[in-house]
Amino acid sequence: MTANESSIITRLFEGQLNYSIMCLKCENCTYKNEVFTILSLPIPSEYECSLQDCLQCFFQQDTLTWNNQIYCSFCETKQETAVRASISKAPKIMIFHLKRFDILGTTKRKLRTDIHYPLTNLDLTPYICPIFRKHPKYNLCAVVNHFGDLDGGHYTAFCKNSVTQTWFSFDDTRVSEIPETSVQTATAYLLFYSCQPFSIPIQKCKS
Ligand SMILES: [Zn+2]
């Protein structure tokens, strides 16, 4: 898909990351942009952590050494490099994928970490480039849960009705209203955050 093509997916979910890439010898800095529709966040604990801990882990500066060194056009050789990502375009709806499926050597496992995430006012300001800060506060609008392990499992969803402001659980053919207190769960696998209140779509009349 080219950058000019627009769909409801790109309009709602597409954002942009900006990577600053600094040579640690000459301190020359280059920048690279990358579009995303989903951010895959590492989980820094096996037992319990917060979404902010996962975000800090994703956006922290990474130092590339040894085999991962990057070519510096000023030094004209590969050098140790510091890479840091920040959000240069925040989408209307941010999708976070919690990386629960983990490979340690030859062992695959599912992390069952209890990740605490806010239902309202998720602050992404620290991760957005200062000149692009427009929609700093995000509210949770949906959760996809995963039950089971790597070989088999079951998905369910929690979605917020934007008109009634109540939460519903979708489990195959079973749909039920749930209290807000049930939305925080250790089975969360995908989190959807919206930066604007949804409104009832207005039917456009052709004149
Ligand atoms: Zn250099």
Side-chain angles (χ1 to χ4, degrees):
M1 185 181 269
T2 68
N4 293 330
E5 276 182 72
S6 166
S7 71
I8 185 136
I9 303 295
T10 55
R11 283 197 299 278
L12 290 178
F13 302 111
E14 194 175 274
Q16 189 173 268
L17 286 176
N18 180 267
Y19 289 94
S20 76
I21 303 155
M22 188 176 73
C23 168
L24 289 177
K25 189 164 186 230
C26 72
E27 297 191 346
N28 176 60
C29 211
T30 54
Y31 298 91
K32 202 182 103 190
N33 285 320
E34 198 176 277
V35 295
F36 68 89
T37 46
I38 184 161
L39 290 186
S40 288
L41 304 182
I43 302 172
S45 163
E46 266 186 68
Y47 309 103
E48 198 176 9
C49 69
S50 68
L51 179 62
Q52 284 293 353
D53 295 332
C54 301
L55 284 164
Q56 265 174 33
C57 208
F58 181 90
F59 286 103
Q60 76 186 354
Q61 181 172 295
D62 206 7
T63 306
L64 304 177
T65 57
W66 297 97
N67 290 335
N68 296 320
Q69 289 186 352
I70 289 182
Y71 181 83
C72 172
S73 55
F74 286 83
C75 298
E76 295 187 316
T77 171
K78 281 190 173 182
Q79 293 292 355
E80 290 197 349
T81 308
V83 179
R84 175 172 236 136
S86 58
I87 299 169
S88 48
K89 186 199 153 208
K92 288 194 175 113
I93 300 175
M94 287 286 291
I95 309 176
F96 298 115
H97 161 231
L98 305 169
K99 289 167 87 173
R100 292 195 180 276
F101 299 104
D102 192 30
I103 301 171
L104 266 177
T106 53
T107 320
K108 292 187 214 160
R109 60 170 185 166
K110 182 184 173 188
L111 288 166
R112 297 177 196 276
T113 310
D114 191 5
I115 299 167
H116 299 269
Y117 41 89
L119 270 55
T120 55
N121 289 330
L122 171 69
D123 189 6
L124 292 176
T125 311
Y127 315 112
I128 300 177
C129 303
I131 50 167
F132 297 112
R133 278 174 199 161
K134 278 191 208 158
H135 309 290
K137 298 283 186 193
Y138 280 78
N139 298 317
L140 190 67
C141 57
V143 178
V144 170
N145 298 296
H146 180 265
F147 299 89
D149 49 40
L150 289 94
D151 304 316
H154 179 60
Y155 290 94
T156 69
F158 298 153
C159 302
K160 192 175 188 178
N161 182 315
S162 57
V163 180
T164 61
Q165 294 289 302
T166 49
W167 283 89
F168 286 85
S169 163
F170 295 82
D171 183 353
D172 289 339
T173 55
R174 292 180 294 278
V175 179
S176 53
E177 192 172 335
I178 55 165
E180 204 173 62
T181 47
S182 301
V183 176
Q184 164 72 57
T185 155
T187 54
Y189 184 52
L190 298 173
L191 301 171
F192 293 68
Y193 279 90
S194 170
C195 69
Q196 57 188 34
F198 279 107
S199 51
I200 303 166
I202 299 161
Q203 203 86 44
K204 276 185 189 154
C205 300
K206 279 184 185 157
S207 52

